[in-house]
Amino acid sequence: MSNFGDPSFTHHQALGLMWFKTAILLATTPVLPYDPRDYAISLQNIFASFVQQYGAVLQNQNISVEYIADELEQFVTASVTFWNQLQTAASNTSISERALRILNNKLMNLERAFIIPEGLPGRQFKHVIFAPSSVNSYASATFPGLSDAIFSALHPTPSVPPDWDEVRRQSDAVRVHIRYATQVMTQPGLEYLI
């Protein structure tokens, strides 16, 4: 490295400093710096884009995405309520370690709620919201299992006929995992601790 790449080690130093500051932030902040409202906004944008791209196709097959929209609405409401709890806890200097542990566990489990243990059909990835595209190796896919199922149904081959039931199953998986994430944020236990 002293001759090629980064001879003065400025990039290495900058990267090390960034990781150091991140570690200090995580070690000194009682509540993990994670805003569930950002996830809600991302999900709303992703869903709007998804409906714009596939809404007519799904409607032609009598597949409704209204259930996903309903779960997403509840997710947004829960994320705002949970954010308020996080802010209350962060500003409370006498909050118990138990309450902090519950809040941080909820934050960690929020992301885990979007993981399918058995993985996406025919793929190694497990996240129900974000994964690399199976069709375009340079892009990511949102609602990857559902997007893959729709793509397969729209582009049948002689050996693989269109499977709109798989689209329904993947739509249900998205809905259920959004509900799981909502339940993570709304589960009781902090009413008397904050």
Side-chain angles (χ1 to χ4, degrees):
M1 286 316 259
S2 60
N3 294 324
F4 302 103
D6 189 12
S8 62
F9 292 93
T10 54
H11 294 339
H12 284 82
Q13 186 180 11
L15 191 59
L17 184 61
M18 181 197 72
W19 280 113
F20 173 74
K21 287 184 177 186
T22 302
I24 291 295
L25 174 71
L26 290 174
T28 59
T29 306
V31 178
L32 294 173
Y34 188 84
D35 188 345
R37 299 172 306 167
D38 291 341
Y39 220 124
I41 291 167
S42 293
L43 278 175
Q44 286 177 315
N45 293 338
I46 289 166
F47 183 70
S49 174
F50 178 83
V51 169
Q52 183 179 3
Q53 185 175 2
Y54 295 116
V57 171
L58 294 173
Q59 190 174 15
N60 289 341
Q61 296 297 323
N62 294 321
I63 300 173
S64 175
V65 292
E66 291 302 315
Y67 299 114
I68 296 174
D70 293 343
E71 293 298 333
L72 187 54
E73 187 177 317
Q74 292 178 20
F75 182 87
V76 169
T77 303
S79 71
V80 170
T81 303
F82 186 44
W83 175 253
N84 291 335
Q85 287 179 339
L86 291 170
Q87 293 308 299
T88 302
S91 65
N92 185 350
T93 57
S94 63
I95 189 167
S96 70
E97 285 187 32
R98 182 171 178 227
L100 287 173
R101 171 57 39 209
I102 290 171
L103 283 171
N104 286 327
N105 282 345
K106 281 185 173 190
L107 285 168
M108 291 185 294
N109 289 332
L110 176 60
E111 185 66 32
R112 290 180 187 152
F114 292 111
I115 302 297
I116 301 175
E118 65 275 7
L120 296 170
R123 299 178 66 193
Q124 65 185 10
F125 303 103
K126 297 183 176 193
H127 203 282
V128 95
I129 306 296
F130 304 109
S133 173
S134 66
V135 181
N136 180 352
S137 59
Y138 293 104
S140 63
T142 53
F143 305 133
L146 183 54
S147 297
D148 289 351
I150 292 170
F151 184 85
S152 295
L154 290 175
H155 301 92
T157 62
S159 61
V160 180
D163 187 1
W164 292 102
D165 287 334
E166 179 63 19
V167 174
R168 287 180 180 87
R169 282 190 292 277
Q170 292 303 316
S171 176
D172 284 343
V174 169
R175 177 185 56 79
V176 164
H177 284 274
I178 292 173
R179 180 182 293 165
Y180 289 163
T182 303
Q183 289 172 345
V184 165
M185 290 185 288
T186 59
Q187 64 189 354
L190 288 172
E191 294 79 18
Y192 306 108
L193 298 175
I194 294 180

